[in-house]
Short mmCIF file of all heavy atoms in Angstrom, two decimals:
data_model
loop_
_atom_site.label_atom_id
_atom_site.label_comp_id
_atom_site.label_asym_id
_atom_site.label_seq_id
_atom_site.Cartn_x
_atom_site.Cartn_y
_atom_site.Cartn_z
N LEU N 47 1.00 0.06 -14.48
CA LEU N 47 2.42 -0.01 -14.12
C LEU N 47 3.27 0.89 -15.00
O LEU N 47 4.23 1.52 -14.54
CB LEU N 47 2.91 -1.46 -14.20
CG LEU N 47 2.33 -2.40 -13.14
CD1 LEU N 47 2.71 -3.84 -13.46
CD2 LEU N 47 2.80 -2.01 -11.76
N ARG N 48 2.95 0.96 -16.29
CA ARG N 48 3.69 1.85 -17.20
C ARG N 48 3.51 3.31 -16.80
O ARG N 48 4.45 4.09 -16.85
CB ARG N 48 3.23 1.65 -18.64
CG ARG N 48 3.63 0.34 -19.28
CD ARG N 48 5.14 0.22 -19.42
NE ARG N 48 5.70 1.35 -20.11
CZ ARG N 48 6.23 1.35 -21.32
NH1 ARG N 48 6.28 0.23 -21.98
NH2 ARG N 48 6.72 2.44 -21.85
N ARG N 49 2.27 3.70 -16.42
CA ARG N 49 2.03 5.08 -15.99
C ARG N 49 2.83 5.40 -14.74
O ARG N 49 3.42 6.47 -14.63
CB ARG N 49 0.54 5.32 -15.75
CG ARG N 49 -0.27 5.46 -17.02
CD ARG N 49 -1.67 5.97 -16.74
NE ARG N 49 -2.41 5.15 -15.80
CZ ARG N 49 -3.13 4.08 -16.11
NH1 ARG N 49 -3.20 3.67 -17.36
NH2 ARG N 49 -3.78 3.41 -15.18
N VAL N 50 2.87 4.48 -13.79
CA VAL N 50 3.63 4.68 -12.56
C VAL N 50 5.11 4.84 -12.89
O VAL N 50 5.78 5.74 -12.40
CB VAL N 50 3.41 3.51 -11.57
CG1 VAL N 50 4.40 3.56 -10.43
CG2 VAL N 50 1.98 3.54 -11.05
N GLU N 51 5.62 3.96 -13.75
CA GLU N 51 7.02 4.00 -14.15
C GLU N 51 7.35 5.34 -14.81
O GLU N 51 8.36 5.97 -14.53
CB GLU N 51 7.32 2.85 -15.09
CG GLU N 51 8.75 2.82 -15.60
CD GLU N 51 8.96 1.69 -16.58
OE1 GLU N 51 8.21 1.61 -17.58
OE2 GLU N 51 9.88 0.90 -16.37
N LYS N 52 6.46 5.77 -15.71
CA LYS N 52 6.68 7.01 -16.43
C LYS N 52 6.63 8.21 -15.48
O LYS N 52 7.42 9.14 -15.60
CB LYS N 52 5.62 7.16 -17.52
CG LYS N 52 5.96 8.15 -18.58
CD LYS N 52 4.92 8.09 -19.69
CE LYS N 52 5.48 8.66 -20.96
NZ LYS N 52 4.53 8.61 -22.05
N ALA N 53 5.72 8.18 -14.51
CA ALA N 53 5.59 9.28 -13.56
C ALA N 53 6.82 9.41 -12.67
O ALA N 53 7.18 10.51 -12.25
CB ALA N 53 4.35 9.08 -12.70
N GLU N 54 7.48 8.29 -12.38
CA GLU N 54 8.65 8.30 -11.52
C GLU N 54 9.94 8.58 -12.27
O GLU N 54 10.95 8.91 -11.66
CB GLU N 54 8.76 6.98 -10.77
CG GLU N 54 7.63 6.77 -9.78
CD GLU N 54 7.67 5.41 -9.12
OE1 GLU N 54 8.51 4.56 -9.50
OE2 GLU N 54 6.86 5.19 -8.22
N ALA N 55 9.93 8.45 -13.58
CA ALA N 55 11.14 8.66 -14.37
C ALA N 55 11.45 10.15 -14.46
O ALA N 55 10.55 10.97 -14.61
CB ALA N 55 10.96 8.08 -15.77
N PRO N 56 12.73 10.51 -14.36
CA PRO N 56 13.07 11.92 -14.51
C PRO N 56 12.82 12.40 -15.94
O PRO N 56 12.97 11.64 -16.89
CB PRO N 56 14.57 11.97 -14.17
CG PRO N 56 15.06 10.59 -14.39
CD PRO N 56 13.89 9.67 -14.15
N THR N 57 12.43 13.66 -16.06
CA THR N 57 12.24 14.23 -17.39
C THR N 57 13.60 14.52 -18.00
O THR N 57 14.63 14.55 -17.31
CB THR N 57 11.43 15.53 -17.32
OG1 THR N 57 12.21 16.52 -16.63
CG2 THR N 57 10.09 15.32 -16.64
N PHE N 58 13.60 14.76 -19.30
CA PHE N 58 14.85 15.09 -19.99
C PHE N 58 15.46 16.36 -19.40
O PHE N 58 16.67 16.45 -19.18
CB PHE N 58 14.58 15.25 -21.48
CG PHE N 58 15.80 15.55 -22.28
CD1 PHE N 58 16.82 14.62 -22.39
CD2 PHE N 58 15.95 16.77 -22.92
CE1 PHE N 58 17.96 14.90 -23.13
CE2 PHE N 58 17.08 17.05 -23.66
CZ PHE N 58 18.10 16.12 -23.77
N VAL N 59 14.62 17.33 -19.10
CA VAL N 59 15.10 18.59 -18.51
C VAL N 59 15.73 18.32 -17.15
O VAL N 59 16.80 18.86 -16.83
CB VAL N 59 13.96 19.62 -18.41
CG1 VAL N 59 14.39 20.84 -17.62
CG2 VAL N 59 13.48 20.01 -19.79
N GLU N 60 15.09 17.49 -16.32
CA GLU N 60 15.66 17.16 -15.00
C GLU N 60 17.01 16.49 -15.14
O GLU N 60 17.94 16.76 -14.36
CB GLU N 60 14.69 16.28 -14.22
CG GLU N 60 13.44 16.98 -13.77
CD GLU N 60 12.39 16.04 -13.20
OE1 GLU N 60 12.37 14.85 -13.58
OE2 GLU N 60 11.58 16.51 -12.40
N MET N 61 17.14 15.62 -16.13
CA MET N 61 18.42 14.95 -16.34
C MET N 61 19.49 15.95 -16.78
O MET N 61 20.63 15.89 -16.33
CB MET N 61 18.27 13.82 -17.34
CG MET N 61 17.46 12.67 -16.80
SD MET N 61 17.30 11.32 -17.96
CE MET N 61 18.96 10.67 -17.93
N LEU N 62 19.12 16.87 -17.67
CA LEU N 62 20.08 17.88 -18.10
C LEU N 62 20.51 18.76 -16.93
O LEU N 62 21.69 19.09 -16.79
CB LEU N 62 19.48 18.75 -19.21
CG LEU N 62 19.35 18.09 -20.58
CD1 LEU N 62 18.66 19.05 -21.55
CD2 LEU N 62 20.69 17.68 -21.13
N LEU N 63 19.57 19.15 -16.09
CA LEU N 63 19.90 19.99 -14.94
C LEU N 63 20.75 19.26 -13.91
O LEU N 63 21.46 19.89 -13.13
CB LEU N 63 18.62 20.53 -14.29
CG LEU N 63 17.84 21.54 -15.13
CD1 LEU N 63 16.51 21.86 -14.46
CD2 LEU N 63 18.65 22.81 -15.36
N ALA N 64 20.70 17.95 -13.91
CA ALA N 64 21.46 17.15 -12.96
C ALA N 64 22.90 16.91 -13.40
O ALA N 64 23.71 16.42 -12.62
CB ALA N 64 20.76 15.82 -12.71
N ILE N 65 23.23 17.26 -14.64
CA ILE N 65 24.60 17.07 -15.12
C ILE N 65 25.54 17.95 -14.30
O ILE N 65 25.28 19.14 -14.14
CB ILE N 65 24.72 17.41 -16.62
CG1 ILE N 65 23.90 16.43 -17.44
CG2 ILE N 65 26.19 17.41 -17.07
CD1 ILE N 65 23.83 16.77 -18.91
N PRO N 66 26.61 17.38 -13.76
CA PRO N 66 27.53 18.17 -12.95
C PRO N 66 28.15 19.33 -13.74
O PRO N 66 28.47 19.19 -14.92
CB PRO N 66 28.61 17.16 -12.55
CG PRO N 66 27.98 15.83 -12.74
CD PRO N 66 26.99 16.00 -13.84
N LYS N 67 28.24 20.45 -13.08
CA LYS N 67 28.88 21.63 -13.68
C LYS N 67 30.37 21.58 -13.35
O LYS N 67 30.83 20.71 -12.63
CB LYS N 67 28.27 22.91 -13.09
CG LYS N 67 26.76 22.97 -13.05
CD LYS N 67 26.13 22.95 -14.41
CE LYS N 67 24.63 23.11 -14.35
NZ LYS N 67 23.85 21.96 -14.00
N ASP N 68 31.14 22.53 -13.88
CA ASP N 68 32.58 22.57 -13.60
C ASP N 68 32.84 22.55 -12.10
O ASP N 68 32.27 23.34 -11.35
CB ASP N 68 33.20 23.84 -14.20
CG ASP N 68 33.30 23.76 -15.71
OD1 ASP N 68 33.28 22.64 -16.23
OD2 ASP N 68 33.36 24.82 -16.35
N GLY N 69 33.67 21.64 -11.67
CA GLY N 69 34.05 21.56 -10.27
C GLY N 69 33.09 20.77 -9.39
O GLY N 69 33.40 20.49 -8.25
N GLU N 70 31.94 20.41 -9.89
CA GLU N 70 30.99 19.64 -9.08
C GLU N 70 31.30 18.15 -9.19
O GLU N 70 31.86 17.69 -10.18
CB GLU N 70 29.56 19.88 -9.56
CG GLU N 70 28.98 21.21 -9.13
CD GLU N 70 27.52 21.32 -9.52
OE1 GLU N 70 27.26 21.55 -10.72
OE2 GLU N 70 26.67 21.15 -8.64
N GLU N 71 30.89 17.43 -8.18
CA GLU N 71 31.07 15.99 -8.17
C GLU N 71 29.91 15.32 -8.90
O GLU N 71 28.87 15.92 -9.10
CB GLU N 71 31.15 15.47 -6.74
CG GLU N 71 32.36 15.96 -5.98
CD GLU N 71 33.66 15.41 -6.54
OE1 GLU N 71 33.67 14.24 -6.97
OE2 GLU N 71 34.65 16.14 -6.55
N PHE N 72 30.09 14.07 -9.24
CA PHE N 72 29.06 13.31 -9.93
C PHE N 72 28.01 12.75 -8.97
O PHE N 72 27.17 11.97 -9.36
CB PHE N 72 29.68 12.15 -10.72
CG PHE N 72 30.20 12.56 -12.05
CD1 PHE N 72 31.52 12.94 -12.21
CD2 PHE N 72 29.37 12.59 -13.15
CE1 PHE N 72 32.01 13.33 -13.44
CE2 PHE N 72 29.84 12.97 -14.39
CZ PHE N 72 31.17 13.35 -14.53
N GLU N 73 28.02 13.14 -7.71
CA GLU N 73 27.08 12.59 -6.74
C GLU N 73 25.64 12.91 -7.10
O GLU N 73 24.74 12.17 -6.78
CB GLU N 73 27.40 13.12 -5.35
CG GLU N 73 28.74 12.63 -4.83
CD GLU N 73 29.12 13.30 -3.53
OE1 GLU N 73 28.27 13.97 -2.92
OE2 GLU N 73 30.28 13.16 -3.14
N ARG N 74 25.41 14.02 -7.76
CA ARG N 74 24.05 14.42 -8.12
C ARG N 74 23.55 13.70 -9.36
O ARG N 74 22.38 13.74 -9.66
CB ARG N 74 24.00 15.93 -8.38
CG ARG N 74 24.15 16.75 -7.12
CD ARG N 74 24.05 18.22 -7.39
NE ARG N 74 23.01 18.53 -8.36
CZ ARG N 74 23.04 19.58 -9.16
NH1 ARG N 74 24.03 20.42 -9.12
NH2 ARG N 74 22.07 19.80 -10.02
N TRP N 75 24.43 13.05 -10.07
CA TRP N 75 24.06 12.40 -11.32
C TRP N 75 23.07 11.27 -11.02
O TRP N 75 23.36 10.38 -10.24
CB TRP N 75 25.32 11.87 -12.00
CG TRP N 75 25.11 11.34 -13.37
CD1 TRP N 75 25.22 10.05 -13.76
CD2 TRP N 75 24.74 12.06 -14.54
NE1 TRP N 75 24.96 9.92 -15.09
CE2 TRP N 75 24.67 11.15 -15.60
CE3 TRP N 75 24.46 13.40 -14.79
CZ2 TRP N 75 24.32 11.52 -16.89
CZ3 TRP N 75 24.13 13.76 -16.08
CH2 TRP N 75 24.06 12.84 -17.11
N PRO N 76 21.88 11.27 -11.63
CA PRO N 76 20.85 10.29 -11.30
C PRO N 76 21.09 8.89 -11.87
O PRO N 76 20.39 7.97 -11.51
CB PRO N 76 19.59 10.88 -11.90
CG PRO N 76 20.07 11.70 -13.05
CD PRO N 76 21.42 12.24 -12.62
N MET N 77 22.08 8.74 -12.73
CA MET N 77 22.33 7.44 -13.34
C MET N 77 23.58 6.81 -12.74
O MET N 77 24.44 7.51 -12.22
CB MET N 77 22.51 7.57 -14.84
CG MET N 77 21.35 8.20 -15.54
SD MET N 77 21.75 8.37 -17.28
CE MET N 77 20.20 7.95 -17.98
#
Side-chain angles (χ1 to χ4, degrees):
L47 292 170
R48 289 295 307 249
R49 284 191 304 273
V50 168
E51 179 183 54
K52 198 174 201 179
E54 293 175 354
T57 66
F58 182 66
V59 171
E60 290 170 334
M61 291 181 72
L62 287 177
L63 292 173
I65 295 174
K67 312 296 184 282
D68 287 339
E70 284 185 284
E71 295 293 324
F72 277 93
E73 294 173 12
R74 289 182 40 208
W75 188 247
M77 302 177 141

